[in-house]
Amino acid sequence: MKLGKVEFCHFLQLIALFLCFSGMSQAELSRSRSKPYFQSGRSRTKRSWVWNQFFVLEEYMGSDPLYVGKLHSDVDKGDGSIKYILSGEGASSIFIIDENTGDIHATKRLDREEQAYYTLRAQALDRLTNKPVEPESEFVIKIQDINDNEPKFLDGPYTAGVPEMSPVGTSVVQVTATDADDPTYGNSARVVYSILQGQPYFSVEPKTGVIKTALPNMDREAKDQYLLVIQAKDMVGQNGGLSGTTSVTVTLTDVNDNPPRFPRRSYQYNVPESLPVASVVARIKAADADIGANAEMEYKIVDGDGFGIFKISVDKDTQEGIITIQKDLDFEAKTSYTLRIEAANRDADPRFLSLGPFSDTTTVKIIVEDVDEPPVFSSPLYPMEVSEATQVGNIIGTVAAHDPDSSNSPVRYSIDRNTDLERYFNIDANSGVITTAKSLDRETNAVHNITVLAMESQNPSQIGRGYVAITILDINDNAPEFAMDYETTVCENAQPGQVIQKISAVDKDEPSNGHQFYFSLTTDATNNHNFSLKDNKDNTASILTRRNGFRRQEQSVYYLPVFIVDSGSPSLSSTNTLTIRVCDCDADGVAQTCNAEAYVLPAGLSTGALIAILACVLTLLATPHTIGDLSSLTRDRTHVSCIGSIES
């Protein structure tokens, strides 16, 4: 029958133990510590337990109990008077003892990795009295290790990274295998490492498990990932040892070892001359085999005739160079531009600069295409001036536009009536001369902003726009007038020379704050005996009283004509009437009421009589009798009294 590796190992260890035990005499056995024994108060001679150092082989798979060792007391004469008792860890369940001979056997398979030793206690008893003949003593059964556990990588599988182009011997990662066998006994737990897969690119240090690079200049761009298989074998790697494996995935990380390269030496793009400023003309991209930050680009224009017309920037998401327009293109001025574009990495690795420059250039040619453009005015804004006194049909100014295309088509002009709703102006369709179509009034509209349209004769859809600002110049065509509607009052008890109103004037003509006004009373009012006017010489005038006292019953309102002259050339004047009301005032001169008496009492009729008449009317209205029933009225005492009062 053939034996497996484990069974063969067990067999060899059993033979070794047997030879060890059989070669030792009882006199050579070590003695354990013992305690003094006392019986019936008399001291007896000290006895000692005698036994072997007990070992039992783990993983025993035999059908019979495994012999462990023998307990023996020097009191035992071999006549059967002594019996042996075993207690403690595993007693009776794992370990049994022959009470007559003291032989100990293991009845179950033991695993050192589960429990390395058992602590038990032994007693020798007198068989007849069942009393101890030796003190109880403690001993240990140690489980003898065999190589029954393979190394294991508890942290596997592993992943690691190492920069590409690393020199030979660069450390990548350390792997560690553990072996559950006894590291203090034999070589069962002594592990060595080897590489089963991953050569010739990587190697492993046999004792430490450190994985290192084994080939120089490994290129990520050629291959960026490697799968390694690492083996750990116990028994120092000898035949019969157990082994375990793990995988290690090694990724080459990128370094900036590749310069950018344009896929083409030149590019050409066609753009219309009407393309707006800031529009994208083209996108170009240099290829870079590196990734991430190592592939980030910077672009710039290093040569050519497009400086100031174009600029290039980088799209950070795509790393493209974006060419945009900086100024308006004009086919008639220049039909093409040539740019020399350079692409460079932002951060080149100094180790690889010896390979050459980390930049590349290409040529970009931009062809400007002609576009049928609308007419262009010679000025973006035409300021013009005209007097508001100008006659209809007079010339104000001229605008000019031309076709910028090479065809130079004739241009016709018109006014955009959306900006000249009332049609104040006309324009000559051929010459661009602007004339007045209506009388102008600066006070109605001081500035007219109009849009002039210039249309190509050959292509009416091409329309250019020019802007004209016409300022209306002022003439003195508005007379001055009161600055406001004055509410002037004079107290009945006013004294002569008292100022009752201060007036000012306004003029719609320019300048709004630069006029000088002159005030006076009209000729008809100069000699009146009620009021006078004083010009304050500051564009104001004061109205004063000329007599003592005013009566509302005599005259409640006075009308005073004021003559105002402006300082224009020629000057204009106007007469403005100031209304003055007579009011009853308090002691402080504050008007209380300005209403005149509604009725003047007839001569001989007193105020008391008037009150009596009103009371009688009210009484008559309140009675239910008709006016014709005078007999009943006269019989009523109250009515008779009322009628009597009226008659009196």
Side-chain angles (χ1 to χ4, degrees):
M1 180 179 68
K2 294 183 178 180
L3 296 175
K5 291 182 179 180
V6 176
E7 288 81 0
F8 181 70
C9 183
H10 287 169
F11 177 71
L12 292 177
Q13 290 179 333
L14 284 171
I15 292 175
L17 287 173
F18 175 76
L19 292 175
C20 177
F21 292 151
S22 64
M24 300 175 67
S25 65
Q26 290 290 334
E28 294 170 329
L29 299 177
S30 61
R31 298 177 178 272
S32 71
R33 295 189 302 272
S34 61
K35 301 177 182 178
Y37 178 72
F38 299 95
Q39 186 177 15
S40 302
R42 294 184 305 160
S43 176
R44 58 173 293 175
T45 305
K46 179 181 177 182
R47 304 289 183 180
S48 297
W49 289 101
V50 181
W51 56 69
N52 297 319
Q53 172 122 19
F54 293 136
F55 294 90
V56 60
L57 199 65
E58 69 169 333
E59 304 293 352
Y60 173 70
M61 303 294 290
S63 58
D64 297 328
L66 178 63
Y67 180 74
V68 177
K70 186 181 185 66
L71 290 178
H72 183 71
S73 172
D74 56 5
V75 177
D76 188 359
K77 303 302 182 183
D79 55 3
S81 61
I82 302 298
K83 68 175 181 179
Y84 297 94
I85 304 298
L86 191 65
S87 62
E89 287 183 304
S92 300
S93 60
I94 298 176
F95 302 103
I96 59 174
I97 190 169
D98 187 321
E99 66 177 17
N100 296 316
T101 64
D103 291 331
I104 301 174
H105 289 79
T107 61
K108 294 183 178 180
R109 180 178 65 85
L110 301 175
D111 186 356
R112 187 200 68 84
E113 285 71 47
E114 291 183 2
Q115 188 163 341
Y117 62 90
Y118 294 83
T119 302
L120 297 99
R121 295 180 298 278
Q123 267 190 328
L125 304 178
D126 185 290
R127 189 177 295 277
L128 295 177
T129 64
N130 207 35
K131 292 184 177 181
V133 297
E134 290 281 8
E136 184 183 72
S137 185
E138 187 178 274
F139 65 96
V140 174
I141 297 177
K142 185 175 181 182
I143 309 305
Q144 185 70 45
D145 183 50
I146 65 170
N147 190 21
D148 60 339
N149 290 278
E150 74 278 5
K152 293 182 179 180
F153 292 90
L154 301 181
D155 296 328
Y158 295 84
T159 58
V162 63
E164 63 174 330
M165 299 295 177
S166 294
V168 173
T170 301
S171 294
V172 179
V173 68
Q174 183 176 22
V175 298
T176 302
T178 57
D179 195 313
D181 292 320
D182 189 355
T184 65
Y185 177 76
N187 294 322
S188 297
R190 295 183 62 187
V191 175
V192 293
Y193 300 92
S194 61
I195 184 167
L196 302 182
Q197 178 180 315
Q199 295 175 317
Y201 306 102
F202 299 92
S203 64
V204 65
E205 172 60 43
K207 293 183 179 180
T208 63
V210 175
I211 298 172
K212 299 180 179 181
T213 57
L215 276 183
N217 301 327
M218 284 191 289
D219 190 1
R220 184 200 67 83
E221 287 72 38
K223 184 177 181 180
D224 64 348
Q225 200 170 79
Y226 297 83
L227 180 63
L228 283 59
V229 177
I230 305 298
Q231 175 183 267
K233 190 173 184 180
D234 60 17
M235 300 298 292
V236 203
Q238 298 175 0
N239 291 335
L242 304 179
S243 64
T245 61
T246 189
S247 64
V248 181
T249 301
V250 179
T251 300
L252 296 184
T253 57
D254 188 52
V255 299
N256 195 4
D257 60 337
N258 291 280
R261 290 290 179 260
F262 284 105
R264 295 167 56 183
R265 291 296 89 194
S266 64
Y267 299 84
Q268 180 173 309
Y269 299 93
N270 290 25
V271 297
E273 63 175 331
S274 59
L275 203 63
V277 171
S279 297
V280 175
V281 174
R283 287 176 175 262
I284 60 174
K285 184 177 182 181
D288 193 322
D290 297 318
I291 58 174
N294 295 324
E296 291 182 356
M297 300 286 181
E298 286 182 342
Y299 296 90
K300 62 181 178 180
I301 300 173
V302 295
D303 197 6
D305 55 2
F307 284 108
I309 306 297
F310 303 93
K311 79 168 184 177
I312 188 167
S313 58
V314 63
D315 185 324
K316 293 184 179 179
D317 294 328
T318 65
Q319 295 303 310
E320 292 176 301
I322 305 172
I323 302 174
T324 54
I325 300 174
Q326 291 292 97
K327 294 182 179 179
D328 289 325
L329 301 177
D330 186 359
F331 172 82
E332 287 70 30
K334 190 172 179 61
T335 59
S336 67
Y337 297 88
T338 300
L339 308 174
R340 190 76 176 164
I341 306 295
E342 179 186 79
N345 281 144
R346 294 189 175 186
D347 300 306
D349 193 320
R351 295 179 297 167
F352 304 106
L353 292 178
S354 60
L355 302 177
F358 264 66
S359 62
D360 195 21
T361 59
T362 189
T363 300
V364 177
K365 188 172 185 179
I366 299 173
I367 305 297
V368 181
E369 296 179 337
D370 188 25
V371 174
D372 190 6
E373 300 172 89
V376 176
F377 282 87
S378 59
S379 174
L381 177 65
Y382 293 88
M384 299 180 183
E385 293 181 344
V386 61
S387 171
E388 64 178 326
T390 190
Q391 299 298 314
V392 173
N394 283 358
I395 295 175
I396 301 174
T398 303
V399 298
H402 71 282
D403 181 5
D405 299 315
S406 57
S407 60
N408 195 20
S409 174
V411 173
R412 292 183 61 82
Y413 301 95
S414 64
I415 292 177
D416 184 353
R417 292 306 177 185
N418 291 324
T419 60
D420 186 28
L421 296 176
E422 298 185 25
R423 297 179 178 264
Y424 281 104
F425 307 98
N426 289 325
I427 189 169
D428 186 278
N430 297 314
S431 65
V433 173
I434 298 175
T435 57
T436 56
K438 285 184 179 181
S439 296
L440 303 175
D441 183 8
R442 188 202 66 83
E443 287 70 41
T444 301
N445 194 347
V447 178
H448 293 265
N449 293 300
I450 64 173
T451 301
V452 177
L453 306 178
M455 181 186 304
E456 285 187 17
S457 298
Q458 297 177 1
N459 185 2
S461 64
Q462 293 295 331
I463 300 174
R465 286 172 170 77
Y467 303 96
V468 181
I470 303 174
T471 301
I472 310 303
L473 301 178
D474 186 45
I475 63 171
N476 193 23
D477 58 345
N478 289 276
E481 57 187 10
F482 278 157
M484 59 182 291
D485 292 332
Y486 293 102
E487 294 183 0
T488 306
T489 62
V490 60
C491 293
E492 289 183 304
N493 59 354
Q495 300 297 316
Q498 185 175 335
V499 176
I500 62 171
Q501 183 68 60
K502 188 175 184 179
I503 60 174
S504 61
V506 293
D507 194 320
K508 294 179 182 178
D509 295 318
E510 290 184 334
S512 58
N513 59 350
H515 279 288
Q516 179 64 49
F517 298 110
Y518 305 96
F519 300 88
S520 63
L521 295 179
T522 62
T523 304
D524 296 340
T526 302
N527 297 320
N528 80 89
H529 301 291
N530 299 310
F531 304 100
S532 63
L533 181 146
K534 177 186 177 183
D535 192 333
N536 297 322
K537 309 300 182 182
D538 61 356
N539 283 347
T540 67
S542 298
I543 306 299
L544 299 89
T545 59
R546 297 186 68 177
R547 68 185 179 87
N548 186 14
F550 294 83
R551 288 180 58 81
R552 285 176 294 162
Q553 290 79 4
E554 294 177 358
Q555 186 172 342
S556 61
V557 178
Y558 293 88
Y559 298 100
L560 186 66
V562 178
F563 186 69
I564 308 174
V565 181
D566 65 18
S567 57
S569 179
S571 62
L572 295 178
S573 63
S574 67
T575 299
N576 298 261
T577 301
L578 182 68
T579 301
I580 305 172
R581 296 185 180 276
V582 180
C583 299
D584 179 30
C585 302
D586 61 13
D588 296 325
V590 178
Q592 299 298 305
T593 178
C594 298
N595 294 327
E597 292 282 345
Y599 301 99
V600 178
L601 295 178
L605 185 61
S606 66
T607 302
L610 181 60
I611 293 174
I613 293 171
L614 291 175
C616 288
V617 171
L618 292 175
T619 303
L620 291 172
L621 291 176
T623 100
H625 303 289
T626 63
I627 297 176
D629 194 0
L630 293 177
S631 60
S632 61
L633 285 176
T634 54
R635 287 192 297 268
D636 187 288
R637 182 177 300 176
T638 303
H639 291 166
V640 171
S641 174
C642 180
I643 293 173
S645 298
I646 293 174
E647 291 176 348
S648 63

